[in-house]
Amino acid sequence: MATDTVSDDVIQDTVDVPDDVTTPEVSDIFTPPDVPDTLAPEIAAPDTATVDALEDTTPPPDPACITDDDCDDANLCSTDKCLGGGKCFHLGIENCCNTPANCKGQIKPCEAWQCNANQCEVDNGDCASITATVSTVSGFNLQGYQDGPIETAMFGRPSGMTIDSQGVVYVTDLMGHTIRSIANGQVTTVAGGSNTQTGKWSVSSQPWGWGGNLDGPVATALFNMPSDVLVDDATGTIYVLDMLNQRLKQIQDGMVTTIAGGSGAEFADGPATTATFSFPTCLVFAPDGGIYIADATNHRIRHLSADKNTVTTVAGSGVKGFLDGPAEEARFNEPYSIVVDGTGALIITDYNNQRIRKLADGVVSTFAGSGIDFCPAGTKEDKGCTTDGALLTASFASPTGMFLHSNGTIYVVEQVGHTVRSIANGLVETLAGTGEAGNLDGPGATAQFNFPIDIVERLDGSLWITDEQNQSIRQILFE
């Protein structure tokens, strides 16, 4: 704004100031009177931040976004959102990729990741040239009971199997009534065996081992056809299904104790000490820290709580048969083994239904298997039929043990089918075994098994199988 200037002459012409009048100084006019301290408290100077805030007249920045479109970061693997306050948020999309380098997870040596339409997929094109080779690592069809070097050790029908984080393999020996371990080229008895005849067995020497039911020190404890074993790496506790004793036992600090079951082959939920089972065949850890149990001839899937105090039924009405639907109404026909996938769903081998079932969100469905009970006349006399193909058209012959690979492949062994199968990418394929009982090492297509029961993957990527009636531990190597 412009200001007009007034000259001194104008002031002098307008105002006459007498000589005897004293003009006060400006400082005297604005000097405040004395005020008592109690009425004039000290006023603190504003802090620097306050001054800066008062002096900062810069307008606030514009918001980063108004709509989701304002947040587009050109990354097809993220969902872009405009949140309150005008801030952008980018949420990654699962299994999405811009390049194969974005894809993570364990795959076979013959496989490779590919990025197809921004989705991670496994390219197994090179696997066609990969062959599965079967060999025998222990037992060598010599039925008996003997610890020692893996090449000379003997088993009396090896059955359930598991592996710990250090690579130690644990095996239940049905007819030896023992729990065995395999590590560093040696087979060792972990518990049981005090009543078992050492050395090679013959028909004339039966009974080879006297089963029993006795808790206590591992050297004197007795089992009766233990069917499966599970190891808790965190505590070192070993859990054992003692099948003919209808009990779940644990081995801890050199002692065997019963933690659930008893009182014969019956059915009862409730406190672990009074709950009952009927020929339980498999156990696996549940996501909640408990244990799932395949209760075969009760036709149910049971659950032992994490505190080991309570047994409940999670699926199966108890009526033998086949029926999908709500878990409490579903029907099984001797469920044999269980694996738990990454979502917490249970995959179950349904032994006499010739199917693989799935329990998820309280509903039982058929995951794989047509349920064909007999092969066409003239092709095979054994119960069940082994045919490859799509999930629901492929068929199984009494599936038993399973192993879930980290890449999603499920390996299944068939007791009556005498084969090892794989389930991946919507297909069921035979990995090894001709389908006829025998004892032959070599390429998977010509190798033979005799009632294989269970399967695990070792740390080197090889698969170990308990070949029950060959009294052997067999191995599959991918070459």
Side-chain angles (χ1 to χ4, degrees):
M1 178 182 294
T3 303
D4 292 333
T5 303
V6 181
S7 66
D8 292 339
D9 293 336
V10 173
I11 295 174
Q12 291 176 356
D13 290 342
T14 306
V15 181
D16 292 326
V17 181
D19 293 338
D20 58 351
V21 177
T22 301
T23 303
E25 296 291 337
V26 174
S27 60
D28 294 335
I29 296 173
F30 290 99
T31 299
D34 293 334
V35 179
D37 291 342
T38 55
L39 298 179
E42 181 179 352
I43 301 175
D47 57 36
T48 304
T50 303
V51 173
D52 290 343
L54 293 172
E55 292 180 351
D56 185 4
T57 58
T58 304
D62 292 331
C65 60
I66 297 175
T67 68
D68 291 345
D69 290 339
D70 297 329
C71 296
D72 187 358
D73 61 357
N75 182 359
L76 296 177
C77 287
S78 69
T79 300
D80 307 313
K81 292 291 184 182
C82 182
L83 303 181
K87 295 182 179 180
C88 287
F89 179 74
H90 307 286
L91 178 65
I93 299 175
E94 185 178 1
N95 201 40
C96 184
C97 57
N98 292 305
T99 70
N102 300 139
C103 301
K104 306 297 182 184
Q106 185 177 354
I107 57 177
K108 298 177 183 177
C110 61
E111 297 173 333
W113 285 113
Q114 64 179 6
C115 188
N116 185 11
N118 296 105
Q119 290 294 301
C120 290
E121 297 179 354
V122 176
D123 179 5
N124 60 2
D126 292 337
C127 291
S129 60
I130 301 299
T131 59
T133 301
V134 178
S135 61
T136 302
V137 295
S138 191
F140 298 94
N141 202 22
L142 297 173
Q143 190 172 37
Y145 171 59
Q146 183 169 300
D147 286 341
I150 195 170
E151 299 85 0
T152 58
M154 289 182 279
F155 297 87
R157 296 192 180 179
S159 183
M161 186 165 47
T162 194
I163 185 169
D164 70 14
S165 60
Q166 303 302 309
V168 179
V169 175
Y170 294 84
V171 182
T172 60
D173 193 343
L174 275 179
M175 299 306 296
H177 310 290
T178 54
I179 312 304
R180 317 283 289 277
S181 69
I182 307 174
N184 302 317
Q186 295 285 319
V187 176
T188 306
T189 297
V190 176
S194 60
N195 280 358
T196 302
Q197 175 183 320
T198 301
K200 183 180 177 180
W201 299 338
S202 64
V203 174
S204 61
S205 68
Q206 294 185 23
W208 309 307
W210 290 100
N213 179 34
L214 180 65
D215 290 349
V218 293
T220 56
L222 296 177
F223 301 90
N224 198 350
M225 297 185 72
S227 56
D228 201 15
V229 59
L230 187 64
V231 178
D232 185 344
D233 279 315
T235 64
T237 302
I238 301 172
Y239 297 97
V240 179
L241 275 180
D242 196 358
M243 185 172 63
L244 290 193
N245 283 322
Q246 320 299 341
R247 286 168 163 84
L248 172 58
K249 298 184 176 183
Q250 72 174 19
I251 304 172
Q252 190 175 51
D253 299 326
M255 298 293 291
V256 176
T257 56
T258 297
I259 59 174
S263 302
E266 301 172 359
F267 168 74
D269 282 337
T273 54
T274 58
T276 53
F277 304 97
S278 183
F279 298 93
T281 50
C282 172
L283 69 170
V284 64
F285 286 119
D288 64 1
I291 295 175
Y292 289 123
I293 300 165
D295 195 1
T297 57
N298 272 326
H299 314 292
R300 292 175 166 97
I301 305 301
R302 315 287 290 280
H303 177 268
L304 175 66
S305 59
D307 59 12
K308 310 300 183 290
N309 288 333
T310 307
V311 175
T312 56
T313 296
V314 297
S317 65
V319 177
K320 179 173 70 174
F322 171 73
L323 181 65
D324 286 337
E328 65 276 11
E329 300 174 8
R331 295 182 183 181
F332 298 92
N333 193 346
E334 297 190 13
Y336 194 95
S337 71
I338 308 166
V339 294
V340 182
D341 71 13
T343 69
L346 277 63
I347 310 297
I348 303 157
T349 53
D350 197 354
Y351 184 86
N352 280 329
N353 277 323
Q354 321 302 340
R355 290 175 170 93
I356 312 298
R357 313 287 289 280
K358 183 175 183 177
L359 170 61
D361 300 320
V363 176
V364 175
S365 60
T366 297
F367 178 74
S370 63
I372 293 176
D373 202 20
F374 289 91
C375 284
T379 59
K380 195 164 184 274
E381 294 181 358
D382 288 338
K383 187 176 182 181
C385 183
T386 296
T387 56
D388 292 342
L391 291 178
L392 297 180
T393 59
S395 58
F396 296 89
S398 302
T400 50
M402 287 186 293
F403 165 73
L404 176 61
H405 194 279
S406 59
N407 66 7
T409 299
I410 300 173
Y411 295 101
V412 184
V413 292
E414 297 177 295
Q415 186 186 44
V416 176
H418 313 293
T419 57
V420 179
R421 317 285 292 282
S422 67
I423 304 175
N425 302 317
L427 293 174
V428 179
E429 298 177 299
T430 299
L431 183 64
T434 64
E436 298 296 330
N439 182 25
L440 183 63
D441 289 340
T446 59
Q448 291 182 328
F449 302 89
N450 195 352
F451 274 49
I453 295 293
D454 208 356
I455 184 169
V456 297
E457 183 189 42
R458 298 182 68 232
L459 301 184
D460 62 4
S462 63
L463 303 176
W464 277 17
I465 300 101
T466 49
D467 194 0
E468 184 187 88
Q469 292 198 17
N470 281 326
Q471 295 86 39
S472 302
I473 308 298
R474 310 289 291 279
Q475 176 176 259
I476 296 178
L477 284 176
F478 297 100
E479 300 174 327

